PDB file of all heavy atoms in Angstrom:
ATOM      1  N   MET A 178     101.882 129.196  74.959  1.00 98.00           N
ATOM      2  CA  MET A 178     102.866 128.155  75.212  1.00 98.00           C
ATOM      3  C   MET A 178     103.365 127.533  73.900  1.00 98.00           C
ATOM      4  O   MET A 178     104.571 127.380  73.679  1.00 98.00           O
ATOM      5  CB  MET A 178     102.211 127.082  76.075  1.00 98.00           C
ATOM      6  CG  MET A 178     103.176 126.030  76.466  1.00 98.00           C
ATOM      7  SD  MET A 178     102.544 125.095  77.828  1.00 98.00           S
ATOM      8  CE  MET A 178     104.082 124.712  78.606  1.00 98.00           C
ATOM      9  N   MET A 179     102.422 127.226  73.015  1.00 98.00           N
ATOM     10  CA  MET A 179     102.808 126.563  71.763  1.00 98.00           C
ATOM     11  C   MET A 179     103.581 127.514  70.844  1.00 98.00           C
ATOM     12  O   MET A 179     104.500 127.099  70.158  1.00 98.00           O
ATOM     13  CB  MET A 179     101.572 125.991  71.061  1.00 98.00           C
ATOM     14  CG  MET A 179     100.997 124.801  71.807  1.00 98.00           C
ATOM     15  SD  MET A 179      99.803 123.848  70.852  1.00 98.00           S
ATOM     16  CE  MET A 179      98.320 124.823  71.020  1.00 98.00           C
ATOM     17  N   GLU A 180     103.199 128.792  70.854  1.00 97.00           N
ATOM     18  CA  GLU A 180     103.912 129.768  70.014  1.00 97.00           C
ATOM     19  C   GLU A 180     105.370 129.930  70.460  1.00 97.00           C
ATOM     20  O   GLU A 180     106.244 130.206  69.659  1.00 97.00           O
ATOM     21  CB  GLU A 180     103.264 131.158  70.155  1.00 97.00           C
ATOM     22  CG  GLU A 180     102.062 131.379  69.282  1.00 97.00           C
ATOM     23  CD  GLU A 180     101.441 132.755  69.521  1.00 97.00           C
ATOM     24  OE1 GLU A 180     101.714 133.383  70.563  1.00 97.00           O
ATOM     25  OE2 GLU A 180     100.680 133.193  68.667  1.00 97.00           O
ATOM     26  N   ASN A 181     105.565 129.806  71.768  1.00 97.00           N
ATOM     27  CA  ASN A 181     106.892 130.115  72.310  1.00 97.00           C
ATOM     28  C   ASN A 181     107.775 128.913  72.583  1.00 97.00           C
ATOM     29  O   ASN A 181     108.816 129.050  73.239  1.00 97.00           O
ATOM     30  CB  ASN A 181     106.744 130.928  73.610  1.00 97.00           C
ATOM     31  CG  ASN A 181     106.111 132.274  73.336  1.00 97.00           C
ATOM     32  OD1 ASN A 181     106.442 132.915  72.356  1.00 97.00           O
ATOM     33  ND2 ASN A 181     105.185 132.679  74.190  1.00 97.00           N
ATOM     34  N   GLY A 182     107.351 127.737  72.130  1.00 96.00           N
ATOM     35  CA  GLY A 182     108.199 126.577  72.421  1.00 96.00           C
ATOM     36  C   GLY A 182     108.090 125.528  71.334  1.00 96.00           C
ATOM     37  O   GLY A 182     107.490 125.762  70.284  1.00 96.00           O
ATOM     38  N   LYS A 183     108.678 124.413  71.620  1.00 97.00           N
ATOM     39  CA  LYS A 183     108.643 123.292  70.662  1.00 97.00           C
ATOM     40  C   LYS A 183     108.028 122.093  71.375  1.00 97.00           C
ATOM     41  O   LYS A 183     108.259 121.889  72.561  1.00 97.00           O
ATOM     42  CB  LYS A 183     110.077 122.926  70.252  1.00 97.00           C
ATOM     43  CG  LYS A 183     110.714 123.895  69.272  1.00 97.00           C
ATOM     44  CD  LYS A 183     111.880 123.185  68.554  1.00 97.00           C
ATOM     45  CE  LYS A 183     112.468 124.019  67.440  1.00 97.00           C
ATOM     46  NZ  LYS A 183     113.287 125.135  67.951  1.00 97.00           N
ATOM     47  N   PRO A 184     107.245 121.253  70.638  1.00 97.00           N
ATOM     48  CA  PRO A 184     106.695 120.053  71.277  1.00 97.00           C
ATOM     49  C   PRO A 184     107.843 119.138  71.738  1.00 97.00           C
ATOM     50  O   PRO A 184     108.926 119.236  71.152  1.00 97.00           O
ATOM     51  CB  PRO A 184     105.879 119.387  70.167  1.00 97.00           C
ATOM     52  CG  PRO A 184     105.833 120.356  69.022  1.00 97.00           C
ATOM     53  CD  PRO A 184     106.944 121.331  69.211  1.00 97.00           C
ATOM     54  N   PRO A 185     107.644 118.270  72.701  1.00 98.00           N
ATOM     55  CA  PRO A 185     106.361 118.009  73.367  1.00 98.00           C
ATOM     56  C   PRO A 185     105.991 119.074  74.419  1.00 98.00           C
ATOM     57  O   PRO A 185     106.886 119.652  75.037  1.00 98.00           O
ATOM     58  CB  PRO A 185     106.610 116.662  74.055  1.00 98.00           C
ATOM     59  CG  PRO A 185     108.083 116.624  74.305  1.00 98.00           C
ATOM     60  CD  PRO A 185     108.716 117.371  73.167  1.00 98.00           C
ATOM     61  N   PHE A 186     104.676 119.260  74.595  1.00 98.00           N
ATOM     62  CA  PHE A 186     104.157 120.119  75.659  1.00 98.00           C
ATOM     63  C   PHE A 186     103.322 119.261  76.592  1.00 98.00           C
ATOM     64  O   PHE A 186     102.500 118.462  76.120  1.00 98.00           O
ATOM     65  CB  PHE A 186     103.231 121.205  75.098  1.00 98.00           C
ATOM     66  CG  PHE A 186     103.907 122.123  74.110  1.00 98.00           C
ATOM     67  CD1 PHE A 186     103.647 122.007  72.752  1.00 98.00           C
ATOM     68  CD2 PHE A 186     104.786 123.114  74.549  1.00 98.00           C
ATOM     69  CE1 PHE A 186     104.258 122.846  71.840  1.00 98.00           C
ATOM     70  CE2 PHE A 186     105.390 123.965  73.621  1.00 98.00           C
ATOM     71  CZ  PHE A 186     105.138 123.830  72.279  1.00 98.00           C
ATOM     72  N   ARG A 187     103.547 119.445  77.863  1.00 98.00           N
ATOM     73  CA  ARG A 187     102.688 118.749  78.834  1.00 98.00           C
ATOM     74  C   ARG A 187     102.545 119.704  80.011  1.00 98.00           C
ATOM     75  O   ARG A 187     103.422 119.783  80.864  1.00 98.00           O
ATOM     76  CB  ARG A 187     103.339 117.444  79.272  1.00 98.00           C
ATOM     77  CG  ARG A 187     102.335 116.484  79.834  1.00 98.00           C
ATOM     78  CD  ARG A 187     102.850 115.099  80.125  1.00 98.00           C
ATOM     79  NE  ARG A 187     104.187 114.785  79.641  1.00 98.00           N
ATOM     80  CZ  ARG A 187     104.884 113.734  80.059  1.00 98.00           C
ATOM     81  NH1 ARG A 187     104.384 112.909  80.949  1.00 98.00           N
ATOM     82  NH2 ARG A 187     106.093 113.495  79.594  1.00 98.00           N
ATOM     83  N   ALA A 188     101.465 120.472  80.023  1.00 98.00           N
ATOM     84  CA  ALA A 188     101.363 121.532  81.033  1.00 98.00           C
ATOM     85  C   ALA A 188      99.930 121.723  81.502  1.00 98.00           C
ATOM     86  O   ALA A 188      98.975 121.446  80.766  1.00 98.00           O
ATOM     87  CB  ALA A 188     101.872 122.845  80.443  1.00 98.00           C
ATOM     88  N   ILE A 189      99.808 122.206  82.731  1.00 98.00           N
ATOM     89  CA  ILE A 189      98.505 122.703  83.183  1.00 98.00           C
ATOM     90  C   ILE A 189      98.667 124.180  83.495  1.00 98.00           C
ATOM     91  O   ILE A 189      99.733 124.639  83.917  1.00 98.00           O
ATOM     92  CB  ILE A 189      97.917 121.932  84.381  1.00 98.00           C
ATOM     93  CG1 ILE A 189      98.912 121.836  85.522  1.00 98.00           C
ATOM     94  CG2 ILE A 189      97.435 120.568  83.965  1.00 98.00           C
ATOM     95  CD1 ILE A 189      98.225 121.424  86.788  1.00 98.00           C
ATOM     96  N   MET A 190      97.568 124.915  83.270  1.00 98.00           N
ATOM     97  CA  MET A 190      97.632 126.375  83.319  1.00 98.00           C
ATOM     98  C   MET A 190      96.484 126.916  84.157  1.00 98.00           C
ATOM     99  O   MET A 190      95.379 127.076  83.656  1.00 98.00           O
ATOM    100  CB  MET A 190      97.556 126.919  81.885  1.00 98.00           C
ATOM    101  CG  MET A 190      98.714 126.431  81.024  1.00 98.00           C
ATOM    102  SD  MET A 190      98.265 126.289  79.288  1.00 98.00           S
ATOM    103  CE  MET A 190      98.279 124.533  79.064  1.00 98.00           C
ATOM    104  N   PRO A 191      96.722 127.135  85.441  1.00 98.00           N
ATOM    105  CA  PRO A 191      95.646 127.657  86.295  1.00 98.00           C
ATOM    106  C   PRO A 191      95.570 129.177  86.183  1.00 98.00           C
ATOM    107  O   PRO A 191      96.580 129.824  85.895  1.00 98.00           O
ATOM    108  CB  PRO A 191      96.111 127.261  87.703  1.00 98.00           C
ATOM    109  CG  PRO A 191      97.599 127.152  87.620  1.00 98.00           C
ATOM    110  CD  PRO A 191      97.963 126.879  86.182  1.00 98.00           C
ATOM    111  N   GLY A 192      94.399 129.741  86.392  1.00 98.00           N
ATOM    112  CA  GLY A 192      94.318 131.203  86.389  1.00 98.00           C
ATOM    113  C   GLY A 192      92.897 131.726  86.455  1.00 98.00           C
ATOM    114  O   GLY A 192      91.926 130.968  86.412  1.00 98.00           O
ATOM    115  N   ARG A 193      92.818 133.052  86.555  1.00 98.00           N
ATOM    116  CA  ARG A 193      91.513 133.714  86.670  1.00 98.00           C
ATOM    117  C   ARG A 193      91.018 134.134  85.290  1.00 98.00           C
ATOM    118  O   ARG A 193      91.821 134.556  84.457  1.00 98.00           O
ATOM    119  CB  ARG A 193      91.672 134.943  87.579  1.00 98.00           C
ATOM    120  CG  ARG A 193      90.385 135.717  87.752  1.00 98.00           C
ATOM    121  CD  ARG A 193      90.552 136.820  88.765  1.00 98.00           C
ATOM    122  NE  ARG A 193      90.652 136.267  90.115  1.00 98.00           N
ATOM    123  CZ  ARG A 193      90.738 137.009  91.214  1.00 98.00           C
ATOM    124  NH1 ARG A 193      90.753 138.321  91.129  1.00 98.00           N
ATOM    125  NH2 ARG A 193      90.816 136.443  92.402  1.00 98.00           N
ATOM    126  N   VAL A 194      89.728 134.003  85.090  1.00 97.00           N
ATOM    127  CA  VAL A 194      89.123 134.392  83.805  1.00 97.00           C
ATOM    128  C   VAL A 194      87.902 135.278  84.063  1.00 97.00           C
ATOM    129  O   VAL A 194      87.382 135.309  85.182  1.00 97.00           O
ATOM    130  CB  VAL A 194      88.730 133.147  82.972  1.00 97.00           C
ATOM    131  CG1 VAL A 194      89.938 132.261  82.730  1.00 97.00           C
ATOM    132  CG2 VAL A 194      87.617 132.360  83.650  1.00 97.00           C
ATOM    133  N   TYR A 195      87.490 136.009  83.030  1.00 97.00           N
ATOM    134  CA  TYR A 195      86.434 137.019  83.210  1.00 97.00           C
ATOM    135  C   TYR A 195      85.346 136.865  82.160  1.00 97.00           C
ATOM    136  O   TYR A 195      85.644 136.644  80.991  1.00 97.00           O
ATOM    137  CB  TYR A 195      87.047 138.422  83.063  1.00 97.00           C
ATOM    138  CG  TYR A 195      88.149 138.695  84.067  1.00 97.00           C
ATOM    139  CD1 TYR A 195      89.449 138.245  83.825  1.00 97.00           C
ATOM    140  CD2 TYR A 195      87.883 139.377  85.243  1.00 97.00           C
ATOM    141  CE1 TYR A 195      90.466 138.476  84.735  1.00 97.00           C
ATOM    142  CE2 TYR A 195      88.891 139.622  86.165  1.00 97.00           C
ATOM    143  CZ  TYR A 195      90.182 139.170  85.908  1.00 97.00           C
ATOM    144  OH  TYR A 195      91.183 139.399  86.814  1.00 97.00           O
ATOM    145  N   ARG A 196      84.104 137.019  82.587  1.00 96.00           N
ATOM    146  CA  ARG A 196      83.001 137.049  81.610  1.00 96.00           C
ATOM    147  C   ARG A 196      81.977 138.075  82.036  1.00 96.00           C
ATOM    148  O   ARG A 196      81.753 138.277  83.231  1.00 96.00           O
ATOM    149  CB  ARG A 196      82.358 135.666  81.484  1.00 96.00           C
ATOM    150  CG  ARG A 196      83.331 134.729  80.783  1.00 96.00           C
ATOM    151  CD  ARG A 196      82.716 133.460  80.290  1.00 96.00           C
ATOM    152  NE  ARG A 196      83.814 132.520  80.015  1.00 96.00           N
ATOM    153  CZ  ARG A 196      83.689 131.228  79.851  1.00 96.00           C
ATOM    154  NH1 ARG A 196      82.486 130.679  79.908  1.00 96.00           N
ATOM    155  NH2 ARG A 196      84.736 130.469  79.616  1.00 96.00           N
TER     156      ARG A 196
END
Side-chain angles (χ1 to χ4, degrees):
M178 184 163 212
M179 290 194 280
E180 277 178 342
N181 295 319
K183 284 201 173 74
F186 300 105
R187 201 172 351 165
I189 52 165
M190 299 150 249
R193 179 174 288 183
V194 303
Y195 301 83
R196 290 195 197 164

